[in-house]
Every structure is written in C-alpha cells, then in structure tokens.
Amino acid sequence: QVQLVESGGGLVQAGGSLRLSCAASGRTFSINTMGWFRHAPGKARDLVATISWSTGSTYYVDSVKGRFTISRDNAKNTVYLQMNSLKPEDTAVYYCAATRGATTTWAYEYDYWGQGTQVTVSS
C-alpha cells in the first residue's frame, strides 16, 4: 500500500501562486508515475499533470502549460505542483495520485489517491 498526503492549498487572488506538496509513504518503490488531478464542482475529475517517478519526464494538459510545474524529490518521496498565474477557473479540489503501471492520463488507472486539498482563486 501507498499513502499520499497533500498540502499547500488555500485561497489566492487571480495572478497569484501556490505550491502543492504530496508526500508518499509505504511501498513507494512500487510507484511508476505520480499525477495531479483536480475536481471542480459540477465537473469531472480532470488530469492536470503527471511525472515519471524514475525518469522525471512530465506531461501537462494544455490549460496549465506554461503556468504549472510538476516536480519530484525522490529522497523525500514528495511530488510538487507549482502553480503560477492562477486563474479563477483553476479553483478546484486538487488530488495527488500514484500508479504502479505505465504512465497514464486516465484517473481510473491510478491505484492510490490522497485526500485532496482545496485551491480557491478569487477574481
């Protein structure tokens, strides 16, 4: 089992920045890819970004490219999501997830999930 704990959410004005953290514990050696997803009211849970645990290669959805950066610190078993130039439409609960399988953009293929952290961007 892998446990994931997010932190770093909060309220910020449009144009501001936040950094989310996701600390992994347990059988972290089994993790292949980490991802950040977000779930806004009335919408589906959407992928934001992924990062390979071993190679560090990344993927971003178009709506966050150039504004968000996903990174990892293997020594700390932690993944980060630096969010800059935040917009009101970025408001959502952000979830960290991990998969033992191949890198994927599909939420259902992730094996482990954190509890989520609220990000609210005011206009």
Side-chain angles (χ1 to χ4, degrees), residues 21-45:
S21 299
C22 174
S25 60
R27 300 172 65 87
T28 57
F29 60 84
S30 66
I31 297 173
N32 182 61
T33 300
M34 299 286 292
W36 284 99
F37 291 77
R38 61 187 180 187
H39 192 184
K43 297 185 178 181
R45 184 174 296 192

Short mmCIF file of all heavy atoms in Angstrom, two decimals, residues 21-45:
data_model
loop_
_atom_site.label_atom_id
_atom_site.label_comp_id
_atom_site.label_asym_id
_atom_site.label_seq_id
_atom_site.Cartn_x
_atom_site.Cartn_y
_atom_site.Cartn_z
N SER A 21 2.09 20.17 -2.27
CA SER A 21 3.01 19.07 -2.00
C SER A 21 2.22 17.79 -1.80
O SER A 21 1.09 17.82 -1.30
CB SER A 21 3.83 19.35 -0.74
OG SER A 21 4.61 20.52 -0.89
N CYS A 22 2.84 16.68 -2.16
CA CYS A 22 2.23 15.37 -1.97
C CYS A 22 3.30 14.44 -1.43
O CYS A 22 4.24 14.09 -2.16
CB CYS A 22 1.66 14.83 -3.27
SG CYS A 22 1.04 13.13 -3.15
N ALA A 23 3.17 14.06 -0.17
CA ALA A 23 4.14 13.18 0.46
C ALA A 23 3.65 11.74 0.38
O ALA A 23 2.53 11.44 0.79
CB ALA A 23 4.35 13.58 1.92
N ALA A 24 4.50 10.87 -0.15
CA ALA A 24 4.16 9.45 -0.29
C ALA A 24 4.88 8.64 0.78
O ALA A 24 6.03 8.93 1.12
CB ALA A 24 4.54 8.95 -1.68
N SER A 25 4.18 7.63 1.28
CA SER A 25 4.79 6.72 2.25
C SER A 25 4.28 5.31 1.98
O SER A 25 3.33 5.11 1.24
CB SER A 25 4.47 7.16 3.68
OG SER A 25 3.07 7.15 3.90
N GLY A 26 4.93 4.34 2.62
CA GLY A 26 4.57 2.96 2.38
C GLY A 26 5.43 2.34 1.29
O GLY A 26 6.63 2.61 1.21
N ARG A 27 4.82 1.56 0.42
CA ARG A 27 5.53 0.83 -0.63
C ARG A 27 5.81 1.75 -1.82
O ARG A 27 5.40 1.47 -2.95
CB ARG A 27 4.75 -0.39 -1.04
CG ARG A 27 4.51 -1.37 0.11
CD ARG A 27 3.58 -2.49 -0.28
NE ARG A 27 4.08 -3.37 -1.30
CZ ARG A 27 4.85 -4.44 -1.09
NH1 ARG A 27 5.18 -4.75 0.17
NH2 ARG A 27 5.26 -5.18 -2.09
N THR A 28 6.55 2.81 -1.58
CA THR A 28 6.80 3.81 -2.63
C THR A 28 7.64 3.26 -3.77
O THR A 28 7.61 3.81 -4.87
CB THR A 28 7.47 5.05 -2.04
OG1 THR A 28 8.69 4.66 -1.40
CG2 THR A 28 6.57 5.76 -1.04
N PHE A 29 8.37 2.17 -3.53
CA PHE A 29 9.20 1.59 -4.59
C PHE A 29 8.33 1.06 -5.72
O PHE A 29 8.80 0.83 -6.83
CB PHE A 29 10.07 0.46 -4.04
CG PHE A 29 9.31 -0.67 -3.42
CD1 PHE A 29 8.79 -1.69 -4.20
CD2 PHE A 29 9.08 -0.71 -2.06
CE1 PHE A 29 8.08 -2.73 -3.64
CE2 PHE A 29 8.37 -1.74 -1.48
CZ PHE A 29 7.87 -2.75 -2.27
N SER A 30 7.05 0.83 -5.43
CA SER A 30 6.15 0.28 -6.44
C SER A 30 5.58 1.35 -7.37
O SER A 30 4.94 1.03 -8.37
CB SER A 30 4.99 -0.46 -5.77
OG SER A 30 4.16 0.44 -5.05
N ILE A 31 5.82 2.61 -7.06
CA ILE A 31 5.24 3.70 -7.85
C ILE A 31 5.99 3.89 -9.16
O ILE A 31 7.22 3.96 -9.18
CB ILE A 31 5.26 5.02 -7.07
CG1 ILE A 31 4.39 4.91 -5.81
CG2 ILE A 31 4.78 6.18 -7.94
CD1 ILE A 31 4.50 6.11 -4.90
N ASN A 32 5.24 4.02 -10.26
CA ASN A 32 5.85 4.32 -11.56
C ASN A 32 5.61 5.78 -11.94
O ASN A 32 6.51 6.46 -12.43
CB ASN A 32 5.27 3.43 -12.64
CG ASN A 32 5.90 3.68 -13.99
OD1 ASN A 32 7.10 3.52 -14.17
ND2 ASN A 32 5.10 4.13 -14.94
N THR A 33 4.40 6.25 -11.74
CA THR A 33 4.03 7.60 -12.15
C THR A 33 3.18 8.25 -11.07
O THR A 33 2.35 7.59 -10.45
CB THR A 33 3.23 7.58 -13.47
OG1 THR A 33 4.03 7.00 -14.49
CG2 THR A 33 2.79 8.97 -13.87
N MET A 34 3.41 9.54 -10.88
CA MET A 34 2.58 10.35 -9.99
C MET A 34 1.82 11.36 -10.83
O MET A 34 2.33 11.85 -11.84
CB MET A 34 3.45 11.10 -8.98
CG MET A 34 4.26 10.20 -8.08
SD MET A 34 3.28 9.38 -6.83
CE MET A 34 2.81 10.77 -5.80
N GLY A 35 0.61 11.68 -10.39
CA GLY A 35 -0.18 12.66 -11.12
C GLY A 35 -0.91 13.59 -10.18
O GLY A 35 -1.15 13.27 -9.01
N TRP A 36 -1.23 14.76 -10.69
CA TRP A 36 -2.11 15.70 -10.01
C TRP A 36 -3.39 15.80 -10.84
O TRP A 36 -3.34 16.00 -12.05
CB TRP A 36 -1.48 17.08 -9.88
CG TRP A 36 -0.44 17.18 -8.82
CD1 TRP A 36 0.92 17.12 -8.99
CD2 TRP A 36 -0.65 17.39 -7.42
NE1 TRP A 36 1.55 17.26 -7.79
CE2 TRP A 36 0.62 17.44 -6.81
CE3 TRP A 36 -1.79 17.53 -6.63
CZ2 TRP A 36 0.78 17.62 -5.44
CZ3 TRP A 36 -1.63 17.72 -5.26
CH2 TRP A 36 -0.37 17.76 -4.68
N PHE A 37 -4.51 15.67 -10.16
CA PHE A 37 -5.82 15.83 -10.77
C PHE A 37 -6.56 16.93 -10.03
O PHE A 37 -6.18 17.31 -8.93
CB PHE A 37 -6.64 14.53 -10.66
CG PHE A 37 -6.13 13.40 -11.50
CD1 PHE A 37 -5.02 12.66 -11.12
CD2 PHE A 37 -6.76 13.07 -12.69
CE1 PHE A 37 -4.54 11.63 -11.90
CE2 PHE A 37 -6.31 12.03 -13.48
CZ PHE A 37 -5.19 11.31 -13.08
N ARG A 38 -7.63 17.45 -10.64
CA ARG A 38 -8.45 18.42 -9.95
C ARG A 38 -9.92 18.17 -10.24
O ARG A 38 -10.28 17.67 -11.32
CB ARG A 38 -8.08 19.85 -10.32
CG ARG A 38 -8.22 20.23 -11.78
CD ARG A 38 -7.64 21.62 -12.02
NE ARG A 38 -7.74 22.04 -13.41
CZ ARG A 38 -7.19 23.16 -13.88
NH1 ARG A 38 -6.48 23.95 -13.05
NH2 ARG A 38 -7.34 23.48 -15.15
N HIS A 39 -10.74 18.52 -9.26
CA HIS A 39 -12.17 18.27 -9.35
C HIS A 39 -12.91 19.54 -8.94
O HIS A 39 -12.91 19.92 -7.77
CB HIS A 39 -12.56 17.10 -8.43
CG HIS A 39 -13.92 16.59 -8.67
ND1 HIS A 39 -14.49 15.59 -7.90
CD2 HIS A 39 -14.87 16.92 -9.58
CE1 HIS A 39 -15.71 15.34 -8.34
NE2 HIS A 39 -15.94 16.14 -9.35
N ALA A 40 -13.50 20.19 -9.93
CA ALA A 40 -14.29 21.38 -9.68
C ALA A 40 -15.76 21.00 -9.57
O ALA A 40 -16.20 20.01 -10.17
CB ALA A 40 -14.10 22.39 -10.80
N PRO A 41 -16.55 21.77 -8.81
CA PRO A 41 -17.99 21.46 -8.66
C PRO A 41 -18.69 21.35 -10.00
O PRO A 41 -18.51 22.21 -10.88
CB PRO A 41 -18.51 22.65 -7.84
CG PRO A 41 -17.33 23.13 -7.09
CD PRO A 41 -16.16 22.93 -8.01
N GLY A 42 -19.44 20.27 -10.19
CA GLY A 42 -20.20 20.10 -11.42
C GLY A 42 -19.40 19.60 -12.59
O GLY A 42 -19.93 19.48 -13.71
N LYS A 43 -18.12 19.30 -12.36
CA LYS A 43 -17.27 18.83 -13.45
C LYS A 43 -16.65 17.49 -13.08
O LYS A 43 -16.66 17.07 -11.93
CB LYS A 43 -16.16 19.85 -13.75
CG LYS A 43 -16.67 21.19 -14.23
CD LYS A 43 -15.50 22.09 -14.61
CE LYS A 43 -16.00 23.42 -15.15
NZ LYS A 43 -14.87 24.31 -15.55
N ALA A 44 -16.10 16.82 -14.09
CA ALA A 44 -15.41 15.56 -13.85
C ALA A 44 -14.04 15.82 -13.23
O ALA A 44 -13.53 16.94 -13.28
CB ALA A 44 -15.25 14.81 -15.16
N ARG A 45 -13.47 14.76 -12.65
CA ARG A 45 -12.11 14.88 -12.12
C ARG A 45 -11.16 14.86 -13.30
O ARG A 45 -11.10 13.88 -14.06
CB ARG A 45 -11.82 13.73 -11.17
CG ARG A 45 -10.46 13.83 -10.52
CD ARG A 45 -10.27 12.75 -9.49
NE ARG A 45 -11.21 12.87 -8.37
CZ ARG A 45 -11.09 12.18 -7.24
NH1 ARG A 45 -10.10 11.34 -7.07
NH2 ARG A 45 -11.98 12.33 -6.28
#
